[in-house]
Amino acid sequence: MTLATPSTVRALPPATWGRVRQSRRTADRAMKIIATTFTLLAISVLFWILGMLIVKGIGGLSVATFTQITPGPGSEGGGLANAIVGSLVLTFLGIAVATPIGVLAGTYLAEYGKGSKLADLIRFINDILLSAPSILIGLFVYVIMVQPLGGYSGWAGGVALGIIAIPVIVRTTEDMLRLVPGPLREAGSALGAPPSVVITSITWRAAKSGMVTGILLALARIAGETAPLIFTALNNNFWFSPSLFGGVSNLPVTIYQFASAPYENWQQLAWAGSLIITVSILVLSIIARRIVRGGK
Amino acid sequence: MAAVTDQMAPGAHVARKTPKGTFDIVFRNASFLSALFVLLLLAGIMVSMVIGGWPAFREMGLGFLTSSVWDTQNDQYGAWPAIAGTLSTALIALVIGVPLSLGIAVFLTQLAPPWFKQPVSTAIELLAAVPSIIYGMWGLFVFVPLFAAYVQVPLSNIVEGMPILGTILYSRSPSGLGILTAGFILAFMIIPFIASITRDMLDQIPSVLRESAYGIGATTWEVVRHVLVPQAGVSIIGAIMLGLGRALGETMAVTFVVGNANRLSGSIMDPGSTIASRIANEFNEALGLQLNALIALGCILFFVTFVVLVIARILVARVKSY
């Protein structure tokens, strides 16, 4: 394409095109430089954030970070064990809530709801939920679970995270099922298999890696969510109750509370927690992307 | 599910038709109900926000939207400073974020060599995966001190005493926290969304159009300006609206850097608050009417983002189908 420009231009009479060509070329070059600079700027912000986390967080990583619980105000040392375990519990609870609903709803949209107005509406609403502010979902779960049950609980936190994960899973499941070629389903039906069997043992199998990607992406999405947990699972500076009632400690809210606290070990732990959470999420996202690309 | 898969093993018989038929109905209904659940979720959020916020709306009336008082002692609440903060931070985020995103989309689709496109695309998308709270940490501990020292202080010295600019850009206490800082952080948070949707839209445009423009001697800039942008126009606006929806409801990052002041200031350099930051800040200590007022704020946020997102999805979808 760069070769095409001079050859076209050369055909024109020199007197008329000289100046025009210069301004066009300048505008073109300016645009290219601006676009490249903007891209480099955005990428450098990513690396800046990662660099900051590594520089400030690595000092806080030790065996104690993973074995001791969060320290009380003014006490020495401490770790993030309860917050890490709590975060894992809440995140997997969220995924456990979201996966069956999300996969089934996505299946309905892709397999049963073709051409139906209701399915179109559901797809539209799902896309809206996909970008709905997570803080509203936290408030919603507060109103429907925390208030009626009389207190913060891990269950409410898990449900809130699940609600955030559902639209992600619905969307990817539908997209992935749509990629499965129709003849595969027809072959199944021709053998006499009812729709449910065609879906579960042919379509789902064909789209498996894509559907797993959706679940991984949902996992990455909810693992770092903070706002909805403030209204639902809150936090806990000790080991939380195994019944998950009462506050359940978790990394994001711990980071939020520790980051601007006046104790140095709290701040150090907030940075260590940030590093752990960001690296896990980025690794998850990259793995999910790999699966999609490998699957193609 | 595993049981069904086993049934499908070579030994499957026609005789098993009846249990399969039952399973068929159950499976169909289960997926239908799950899909309905998605509708129910949105309706549930809407209803719970309205009911939870109702006492505040009833107590304060329409004045809730316009009043600037937030007095927990006398139970007087007004949403205006938070609404104004939400709108101004989101607007700043768009002003900064949109040109950056469009530049990135153009770079990825028109300029980047093929081997470079994939890693850069991934890096941009990973910006969206970084949790909100990490942006907050970056904003508060890295961006804010730099911003205070190199932008707020010099700028305040320049604009002091000037008409208009002296109000909008003057920072009374150059702490680095404020509406503009929040807008900056939000801009970087919405870039991946706008940039990747725009990139997909530009990629979808038939390359014949591009090639014919190059064929008559257009430069890359002219192809972008006169061929690609008009083609993708509406969907780019849709992508921007999606970014706006994100910016309006973003919570943790904003809470870290916006300064959380309840007063309304004429300067974008001064601390303020947004609906989301106000809720995140006060919710756990809130009782009685204050709690209702916070949920009422959530209700306002819900309807604003709902309208923005509906418009966004309609605009994005319109182009996708062609």
Side-chain angles (χ1 to χ4, degrees):
Chain A
M1 70 199 189
T2 35
L3 284 175
T5 317
S7 64
T8 324
V9 163
R10 206 172 295 144
L12 296 166
T16 51
W17 57 258
R19 228 173 356 174
V20 182
R21 197 190 88 177
Q22 194 51 49
S23 69
R24 289 173 63 197
R25 187 163 276 187
T26 315
D28 187 49
R29 194 153 293 166
M31 183 277 286
K32 282 178 178 160
I33 291 171
I34 289 171
T36 313
T37 317
F38 283 179
T39 311
L40 291 178
L41 184 66
I43 296 174
S44 58
V45 166
L46 178 69
F47 284 102
W48 192 355
I49 291 174
L50 291 180
M52 165 196 83
L53 290 174
I54 291 169
V55 168
K56 299 205 178 194
I58 210 120
L61 286 182
S62 64
V63 178
T65 316
F66 297 95
T67 53
Q68 293 184 18
I69 68 164
T70 42
S75 60
E76 288 292 305
L80 293 166
N82 52 341
I84 293 172
V85 174
S87 259
L88 288 175
V89 169
L90 292 177
T91 309
F92 283 104
L93 200 56
I95 286 296
V97 169
T99 302
I101 298 176
V103 166
L104 283 174
T107 306
Y108 177 80
L109 293 181
E111 303 288 330
Y112 291 116
K114 274 181 198 145
S116 96
K117 280 266 177 338
L118 182 67
D120 287 342
L121 177 69
I122 292 171
R123 191 173 299 120
F124 188 79
I125 296 297
N126 188 67
D127 277 353
I128 291 191
L129 280 176
L130 199 59
S131 358
S134 58
I135 188 168
L136 292 180
I137 290 162
L139 281 182
F140 169 60
V141 174
Y142 178 84
V143 172
I144 62 159
M145 277 184 82
V146 178
Q147 265 182 339
L149 293 178
Y152 298 105
S153 70
W155 300 104
V159 168
L161 293 181
I163 293 177
I164 296 170
I166 285 174
V168 182
I169 299 180
V170 172
R171 181 68 192 267
T172 39
T173 304
E174 191 198 350
D175 287 352
M176 292 307 154
L177 292 180
R178 277 174 184 278
L179 289 178
V180 177
L184 267 182
R185 300 187 181 95
E186 286 158 17
S189 299
L191 289 175
S196 58
V197 176
V198 172
I199 291 168
T200 48
S201 43
I202 297 178
T203 338
W204 276 3
R205 275 197 182 176
K208 198 164 75 189
S209 68
M211 289 163 71
V212 171
T213 308
I215 295 166
L216 287 181
L217 285 177
L219 198 62
R221 168 84 199 269
I222 63 175
E225 280 291 351
T226 317
L229 293 181
I230 298 177
F231 315 126
T232 52
L234 198 63
N235 199 2
N236 193 335
N237 283 332
F238 304 96
W239 279 108
F240 47 89
S241 143
S243 70
L244 294 186
F245 284 104
V248 171
S249 44
N250 58 84
L251 267 180
V253 181
T254 304
I255 295 170
Y256 175 51
Q257 289 174 343
F258 278 17
S260 32
Y263 313 107
E264 207 170 303
N265 58 336
W266 281 27
Q267 293 172 12
Q268 187 63 69
L269 285 172
W271 284 112
S274 305
L275 179 64
I276 295 171
I277 213 164
T278 311
V279 169
S280 344
I281 289 173
L282 292 186
V283 167
L284 259 179
S285 314
I286 291 172
I287 292 174
R289 259 160 248 274
R290 277 280 152 79
I291 295 178
V292 168
R293 234 175 290 148
K296 276 176 191 168
Chain B
M1 185 179 115
V4 178
T5 334
D6 293 338
Q7 275 179 22
M8 273 308 286
H13 292 297
V14 189
R16 287 200 186 151
K17 206 161 195 176
T18 329
K20 265 183 206 160
T22 322
F23 177 74
D24 206 44
I25 294 167
V26 170
F27 185 81
R28 193 196 158 91
N29 285 333
S31 47
F32 179 65
L33 289 178
S34 303
L36 271 190
F37 185 73
V38 172
L39 277 189
L40 208 72
L41 269 183
L42 191 84
I45 296 173
M46 195 183 299
V47 170
S48 69
M49 291 295 118
V50 171
I51 292 178
W54 188 248
F57 285 125
R58 196 184 48 208
E59 198 74 23
M60 251 64 75
L62 265 185
F64 183 69
L65 292 178
T66 52
S67 162
S68 302
V69 185
W70 191 271
D71 186 350
T72 47
Q73 249 79 53
N74 300 315
D75 255 1
Q76 285 299 312
Y77 304 100
W80 180 241
I83 296 175
T86 307
L87 296 179
S88 49
T89 48
L91 190 71
I92 294 168
L94 286 188
V95 168
I96 301 164
V98 167
L100 281 164
S101 314
L102 298 186
I104 293 166
V106 167
F107 177 83
L108 287 176
T109 53
Q110 314 298 322
L111 306 178
W115 60 268
F116 198 50
K117 185 177 171 175
Q118 196 56 56
V120 174
S121 271
T122 308
I124 299 291
E125 280 167 19
L126 285 183
L127 270 177
V130 174
S132 174
I133 192 165
I134 304 300
Y135 278 100
M137 303 274 283
W138 177 67
L140 183 61
F141 295 104
V142 178
F143 188 80
V144 160
L146 293 175
F147 191 70
Y150 296 106
V151 179
Q152 279 196 334
V153 174
L155 199 64
S156 289
N157 291 337
I158 296 172
V159 299
E160 192 171 3
M162 279 190 197
I164 304 174
L165 280 185
T167 317
I168 299 177
L169 295 176
Y170 182 72
S171 42
R172 264 170 295 179
S173 54
S175 59
L177 302 170
I179 297 285
L180 182 60
T181 317
F184 256 108
I185 306 291
L186 284 176
F188 284 104
M189 301 184 70
I190 62 175
I191 281 174
F193 297 98
I194 305 181
S196 50
I197 297 176
T198 311
R199 177 202 61 200
D200 293 346
M201 294 298 163
L202 293 181
D203 269 341
Q204 269 181 26
I205 295 172
S207 43
V208 182
L209 285 176
R210 268 173 48 201
E211 285 158 12
S212 42
Y214 281 123
I216 59 169
T219 61
T220 310
W221 164 239
E222 287 159 350
V223 171
V224 170
R225 172 72 189 76
H226 298 292
V227 178
L228 299 182
V229 170
Q231 276 293 316
V234 185
S235 63
I236 293 179
I237 297 174
I240 293 170
M241 300 284 281
L242 271 186
L244 177 62
R246 286 270 164 190
L248 289 169
E250 194 46 70
T251 311
M252 297 323 291
V254 174
T255 309
F256 269 91
V257 298
V258 78
N260 299 315
N262 284 349
R263 273 178 303 105
L264 195 61
S265 163
S267 170
I268 54 172
M269 294 292 190
D270 278 341
S273 63
T274 69
I275 292 178
S277 75
R278 179 75 58 87
I279 299 173
N281 245 320
E282 298 187 7
F283 199 84
N284 290 326
E285 280 94 46
L287 290 167
L289 195 60
Q290 191 188 358
L291 191 67
N292 296 121
L294 289 173
I295 299 179
L297 279 180
C299 187
I300 298 171
L301 177 64
F302 175 82
F303 283 104
V304 174
T305 45
F306 183 73
V307 170
V308 168
L309 291 175
V310 165
I311 298 173
R313 289 296 174 184
I314 291 173
L315 293 179
V316 172
R318 188 185 289 173
V319 175
K320 251 188 187 164
S321 59
Y322 95 110

